[in-house]
Amino acid sequence: FVESDLAFTANGLDYTSIKFEDNVNSSPDERIKNENWSYVFQSQLNTDLTKKHTNQTGFRSTVLNYNLLLRTAESGSFETVVDQKGSSSLHSIYSHSQFHLTPQLTVLGGMNYQYFDLNGQGLMEPRLALKWSSQKRYALGLAYGLHSRTERLNYYLNRNSRGEELNRSLGLTRAHHFIGSYDLEINENLRFKAEPYYQVLFDVPVIEGTSFSFINLQNDWFINEKLINEGRGRNYGIDLTLERFLNKGYYFLITSSFFRSEYRGGDGIWRNTAFDRRFIANALIGKEWFIGKSKSNVLSINARLNYQGGQPFTPIDEAASSVAMEALEIENKAYSNRFDPMVVVHFSASYRINKPKRSSVWTLSLLNASMTEEFEGFAYNSRTRLVDKISEALLIPNLSYKIEF
């Protein structure tokens, strides 16, 4: 049989900021106009070639349309980083097969070919996975895959101060993924899972001679430097999960991850990434009560506790920041410092009213109910002439009502 899908997506951002100096004079600071809309068509042929061999072969084509205007005063004058309107496309063709070699052993293998029209790069990506299931409620797995990723379009279309296009030929970031798994069904309500992994990233965009790398990129729009695909990275660790399914009115889920995340920037030095928190642990628990005259309504309460290692950050050059009147980091000490570990608590409660032909659900959720402060960045304070650490404790309440027919 054949499965086919057609989708249309659109998103945009229109943003302007103005800087006020001490003398109350204003000047343009940033201008972002980012409009993207895309058409996606994919189709897949699913075939049972034999009782032990199934195959999925298909393609996916995405037409990317863009209208981009990025201007910034970071270098002193109000310069245009990107001013482009046009379209590009991303295509992939794949074929994957699953072989049931024995009742216990399953092998999955295949190949994916991806072509990015904007830079003319075509990549072949093999995939392979093995899974062995025992009759004694446990399973072992091993998988490998080569993957690639496109970046946001403005990074390929940026220009320098002379109007020269810099990075249209920038290659895709690539990564080898190695994943193992051990899945144990302790009893009908309790399951344990362990997943060790190792990821090797290569062809990562970096700026030559600096610690900068796209591995640490979060929301920087105004990159107008020449980028090269010479960065590397590695992520390795183990994920652990203990899950109790809903039974007798309650459930719980405990997950933990112990990991390292490292990268090599344009200067060839290995460092911690911005995401190298070393550990993350979550504990989720929920309880349900059947209430009402006929015991058909359901009251649910859920709580989640998150404990994670300290976030790495780059120390500030206080002297240089005072002269430049802006927060300047010590570039060659990127992500060498670390904040304290943090605890975040979330809470939710819901009440479901079940009727013969419909149900209604009231839900109250509190994100960051513990009011934990999260690091937002550094900013220069023109009054104290010092650099301030910007942290925010944001509590997000949400009340919703839903009707189900």
Side-chain angles (χ1 to χ4, degrees), residues 13 15 53 71 86 151 196 200 203 206 223 236-237 307 311 342:
L13 173 64
Y15 171 81
H53 178 196
R71 306 188 71 192
E151 305 297 342
V200 180
D203 289 351
V206 296
I223 298 175
Y236 53 94
Y307 180 52
Q311 179 180 345
M342 59 187 294

Side-chain angles (χ1 to χ4, degrees), residues 93-111:
I93 302 173
Y94 61 89
S95 182
H96 300 151
S97 284
Q98 179 172 275
F99 302 90
H100 297 281
L101 300 183
T102 70
Q104 291 79 33
L105 181 61
T106 301
V107 178
L108 295 91
M111 189 70 69

Side-chain angles (χ1 to χ4, degrees), residues 54 58 62 79 97-98 114 140 161 167 189 197 218 227 230 280-282 285 295 299 303 335 378 391:
T54 60
T62 304
E79 294 183 352
S97 284
Q98 179 172 275
Q114 184 163 257
L140 298 172
S161 58
N167 298 309
N189 296 316
Y197 62 88
Q218 297 187 51
L227 299 168
E230 294 188 5
I280 297 175
N282 289 281
I285 187 169
K295 301 295 182 180
L299 174 65
Y335 307 106
F378 293 102
S391 298

Side-chain angles (χ1 to χ4, degrees), residues 23-213:
N23 55 12
V24 198
N25 291 330
S26 65
S27 60
D29 184 37
E30 294 178 346
R31 175 75 175 101
I32 301 175
K33 183 180 180 182
N34 178 42
E35 298 174 352
N36 295 280
W37 59 101
S38 62
Y39 304 90
V40 183
F41 179 70
Q42 61 183 19
S43 186
Q44 176 176 288
L45 173 64
N46 301 271
T47 308
D48 290 334
L49 297 173
T50 69
K51 291 183 178 180
K52 295 185 178 182
H53 178 196
T54 60
N55 177 269
Q56 295 83 40
T57 297
F59 70 91
R60 177 186 177 96
S61 293
T62 304
V63 178
L64 308 162
N65 300 280
Y66 54 86
N67 183 10
L68 300 171
L69 175 63
L70 303 177
R71 306 188 71 192
T72 180
E74 283 185 359
S75 58
S77 60
F78 199 51
E79 294 183 352
T80 299
V81 177
V82 177
D83 187 4
Q84 299 268 13
K85 184 178 182 179
S87 65
S88 184
S89 58
L90 179 66
H91 308 279
S92 63
I93 302 173
Y94 61 89
S95 182
H96 300 151
S97 284
Q98 179 172 275
F99 302 90
H100 297 281
L101 300 183
T102 70
Q104 291 79 33
L105 181 61
T106 301
V107 178
L108 295 91
M111 189 70 69
N112 180 78
Y113 176 78
Q114 184 163 257
Y115 178 78
F116 188 33
D117 177 63
L118 192 68
N119 63 5
Q121 186 176 20
L123 298 171
M124 195 70 76
E125 301 171 343
R127 314 282 166 79
L128 180 65
L130 307 174
K131 184 177 181 180
W132 186 79
S133 300
S134 168
Q135 302 294 333
K136 298 181 180 179
R137 293 184 174 181
Y138 68 87
L140 298 172
L142 188 63
Y144 163 78
L146 177 59
H147 301 264
S148 59
R149 186 187 77 175
T150 60
E151 305 297 342
R152 218 158 49 187
L153 289 177
N154 56 283
Y155 299 129
Y156 300 98
L157 302 171
N158 57 7
R159 300 174 183 269
N160 60 19
S161 58
R162 298 185 297 275
E164 299 168 336
E165 204 168 68
L166 297 173
N167 298 309
R168 182 177 285 269
S169 60
L170 183 69
L172 276 61
T173 299
R174 310 188 71 191
H176 297 288
H177 292 246
F178 302 90
I179 303 172
S181 65
Y182 173 71
D183 200 331
L184 173 64
E185 184 181 338
I186 300 173
N187 56 49
E188 61 181 9
N189 296 316
L190 194 62
R191 186 186 68 155
F192 171 78
K193 190 172 185 179
E195 291 185 323
Y197 62 88
Y198 193 91
Q199 181 188 44
V200 180
L201 297 99
F202 61 102
D203 289 351
V204 182
V206 296
I207 298 175
E208 189 174 9
T210 73
S211 62
F212 176 87
S213 171

